[in-house]
Amino acid sequence: MAQHQVNYLKDGGLPVALTTIDKVVNWGRSNSIWALTYGLACCGIEMMASGASRYDFDRFGTIFRASPRQAELMVVAGTLTKKHAEFIRRLYDQMTEPKWVISMGSCANTGGMFNTYATVQGVDRVIPVDLYLPGCAPRPETLQYAVMMLQQKIRKESASRAQKPKRLM
Amino acid sequence: MRAYTPKDDVQKKSYYTDRFWVAPQVAKSEVSDDAVFAADLAAIKAKFDVLDAYIQVEQMVVVINANDNYSVLEFLKNECEYTQLSEMSAIDWLATEGKFEIFYQMLSMAKRKRVRIKCKIDEKEAIQSVEKLFRSADWSEREMYDMFGVVVNNHPFMKRILMPEDWEGFPLRKTYPLQGDEFAAWYEVDKIFGKEAREIIGPENRDPARIDRYDTQRFSRLGHEVPFGTDISQGEPDTPLVYQEKEGVFMVEKFDAEKSVVISDRQR
């Protein structure tokens, strides 16, 4: 019995890891990004495909939530109209800190081809954006890459303090 | 032979002048060509004033007085078997005539025919609702009001349908700019941040095509890339394009046919 006991000190199998609070917290945050469902147009279809079985967002820990109070990531997928602008701001304000925003696709980035009276020319005019994802529409692989980039960004941030105020464009 | 004219500024002028431009017209024909339409038109003419009538693309177009629109559509629905209103809206002729043209596209499934009823109203004039006859007119008339500002009388819920209710202006009028007027440009800012935010943001930032030459946070200049946020008001260094192939890529060698070994025996 005793001869099978693992000698942790000797074999390098010490079950203790030394790290910082930042790294632990950010490890947790970056691997459990719960996203708010925000499909506004055709990019929303690609976002749904990313969440479904073939591309499987769950393995990143990204689970879509239908409530802003349970979400920390807003993937703005599609054209933002001026009529809708106040609602997106309200939902963004309802999300709990810390929160991040991915602007998905050309329409969300800059208004895209809709340079008209009814379209907001980029969601960064209404809410601060962390990551711009180009494409029309971006494929699910691209959205996965964006989430991975966002994970890298989260890991670089300091976990102990409140988020720095972000700049509106 | 045509006299020579200098072609230096040909790009500045428009190619097509009024002299050669002929607006394409859809061919019209007499109503009497079609027996079914002729009978329908005779029935309408017996009861109402008809200003004009013709056949265009196998559809009869009947121009009536705007006051008769409800009774003509009621007559067509009940007496002439045109049981569906497939489409209706307005056309902006304010610039040329100072009037709106309202059209009603009718479909008869029994006769397999389509008829278009047209009438003209002034800018401030209201038109009678046909929602009591055709439920499809409910949203169409709201859209017509939303986009053109044509008020419809006796409509059960006369409000904007697409644009927000506090919107100013009617977007499908020919005088409305495509990129919106000043109200449209600031709409979401006024709504979310308040009107005082207009001064903080600045009107120059409303232009989506604006480029700030010295802003390295939002813009980068190809061939002159600098780190994020660098001050380049004193000028920026060139970053010439370097292709990977020129200096070679790590661990990757260019294929050289001379040095390569060709295997002649495929079974080896």
Side-chain angles (χ1 to χ4, degrees):
Chain A
M1 215 48 178
Q3 60 181 326
H4 297 298
Q5 197 176 15
V6 179
N7 188 343
Y8 292 114
L9 286 168
K10 214 175 184 182
D11 303 333
L14 197 69
V16 175
L18 294 178
T19 182
T20 59
I21 293 288
D22 275 6
K23 277 190 179 167
V24 172
V25 172
N26 283 337
W27 170 77
R29 278 181 182 169
S30 63
N31 289 307
S32 64
I33 305 173
W34 286 11
L36 178 64
T37 55
Y38 221 102
L40 290 171
C42 32
C43 283
I45 303 293
E46 301 294 315
M47 191 176 70
M48 288 172 221
S50 313
S53 53
R54 188 183 181 91
Y55 296 96
D56 194 14
F57 249 161
D58 289 8
R59 63 204 163 105
F60 294 93
T62 298
I63 301 165
F64 285 106
R65 308 300 299 179
S67 164
R69 292 163 209 282
Q70 297 168 356
E72 54 207 344
L73 169 65
M74 182 187 257
V75 184
V76 185
T79 321
L80 179 67
T81 56
K82 296 204 172 180
K83 192 177 182 179
H84 195 81
E86 60 173 312
F87 308 131
I88 202 172
R89 181 73 209 189
R90 193 189 298 169
L91 288 166
Y92 177 78
D93 290 341
Q94 284 177 357
M95 284 161 66
T96 49
E97 293 272 355
K99 51 191 170 186
W100 298 277
V101 175
I102 291 177
S103 162
M104 181 183 177
S106 296
C107 294
N109 291 340
T110 64
M113 61 180 178
F114 303 109
N115 187 7
T116 64
Y117 58 91
T119 315
V120 177
Q121 301 296 308
V123 282
D124 51 9
R125 295 185 168 206
V126 181
I127 55 176
V129 174
D130 288 282
L131 207 140
Y132 297 89
L133 177 59
C136 182
R139 283 190 54 84
E141 296 95 318
T142 331
L143 183 59
Q144 284 177 351
Y145 184 61
V147 170
M148 283 152 71
M149 295 290 282
L150 185 72
Q151 285 181 334
Q152 286 181 16
K153 183 180 178 175
I154 294 170
R155 284 172 197 143
K156 280 181 201 161
E157 283 175 356
S158 165
S160 51
R161 264 176 287 147
Q163 278 185 315
K164 274 186 263 176
K166 285 169 195 164
R167 179 184 158 183
L168 271 178
M169 288 299 161
Chain B
M1 192 174 158
R2 192 185 294 175
Y4 176 77
T5 50
K7 305 275 192 307
D8 302 334
D9 59 342
V10 76
Q11 291 285 326
K12 291 175 187 164
K13 291 191 284 190
S14 62
Y15 281 89
Y16 300 104
T17 54
D18 289 342
R19 187 178 158 197
F20 299 111
W21 170 252
V22 181
Q25 297 286 326
V26 181
K28 297 175 184 177
S29 57
E30 294 292 322
V31 179
S32 52
D33 294 354
D34 190 304
V36 179
F37 282 150
D40 289 337
L41 184 64
I44 298 170
K45 270 186 174 169
K47 284 196 162 188
F48 308 99
D49 288 344
V50 173
L51 307 179
D52 194 9
Y54 48 86
I55 290 177
Q56 226 175 15
V57 202
E58 299 175 6
Q59 300 176 16
M60 181 166 71
V61 181
V62 182
V63 183
I64 58 164
N65 287 319
N67 301 329
D68 295 337
N69 73 329
Y70 184 90
S71 41
V72 168
L73 262 63
E74 190 179 28
F75 179 73
L76 282 176
K77 183 187 178 186
N78 296 335
E79 313 287 327
C80 300
E81 295 184 303
Y82 289 94
T83 48
Q84 288 183 30
L85 176 69
S86 51
E87 195 178 353
M88 63 149 296
S89 191
I91 301 167
D92 181 350
W93 294 112
L94 291 177
T96 49
E97 301 168 41
K99 282 175 184 293
F100 284 113
E101 189 173 76
I102 318 282
F103 65 88
Y104 300 91
Q105 181 79 11
M106 314 280 295
L107 169 64
S108 169
M109 297 292 274
K111 295 178 178 174
R112 287 182 288 170
K113 293 283 183 192
R114 290 179 193 272
V115 161
R116 187 155 60 253
I117 305 295
K118 286 187 167 194
C119 57
K120 287 196 174 173
I121 59 166
D122 289 330
E123 189 184 349
K124 305 276 179 177
E125 205 178 330
I127 193 151
Q128 188 71 16
S129 169
V130 295
E131 192 268 338
K132 293 281 179 293
L133 294 170
F134 302 100
R135 289 282 288 129
S136 66
D138 186 349
W139 282 14
S140 298
E141 282 173 348
R142 280 178 67 188
E143 189 188 357
M144 186 170 76
Y145 166 69
D146 192 359
M147 291 290 143
F148 293 97
V150 178
V151 179
V152 181
N153 283 342
N154 296 333
H155 190 279
F157 193 65
M158 192 75 263
K159 286 200 172 170
R160 282 185 185 273
I161 189 167
L162 292 171
M163 305 308 291
E165 280 183 18
D166 55 352
W167 191 262
E168 284 175 18
F170 302 105
L172 275 191
R173 287 194 182 188
K174 298 285 184 200
T175 48
Y176 195 89
L178 174 63
Q179 271 127 44
D181 51 12
E182 201 192 352
F183 173 85
W186 290 102
Y187 178 79
E188 77 270 19
V189 171
D190 290 350
K191 205 78 187 273
I192 296 168
F193 305 108
K195 286 212 172 190
E196 59 275 11
R198 283 191 185 197
E199 286 174 18
I200 301 164
I201 292 167
E204 72 278 3
N205 279 318
R206 286 289 97 183
D207 178 14
R210 192 185 74 95
I211 293 169
D212 188 345
R213 166 76 172 73
Y214 297 105
D215 184 354
T216 54
Q217 296 195 344
R218 286 184 285 175
F219 303 99
S220 67
R221 201 169 148 222
L222 289 181
H224 303 271
E225 289 88 352
V226 290
F228 182 80
T230 309
D231 178 25
I232 55 164
S233 55
Q234 305 304 318
E236 70 274 67
D238 284 5
T239 47
L241 286 173
V242 179
Y243 294 100
Q244 280 188 327
E245 290 81 7
K246 211 175 224 175
E247 308 207 342
V249 185
F250 177 65
M251 298 276 284
V252 177
E253 275 184 52
K254 272 197 172 180
F255 176 73
D256 188 355
E258 296 290 319
K259 287 183 187 171
S260 61
V261 178
V262 181
I263 300 167
S264 53
D265 181 12
R266 287 180 170 273
Q267 300 300 319
R268 193 176 70 151

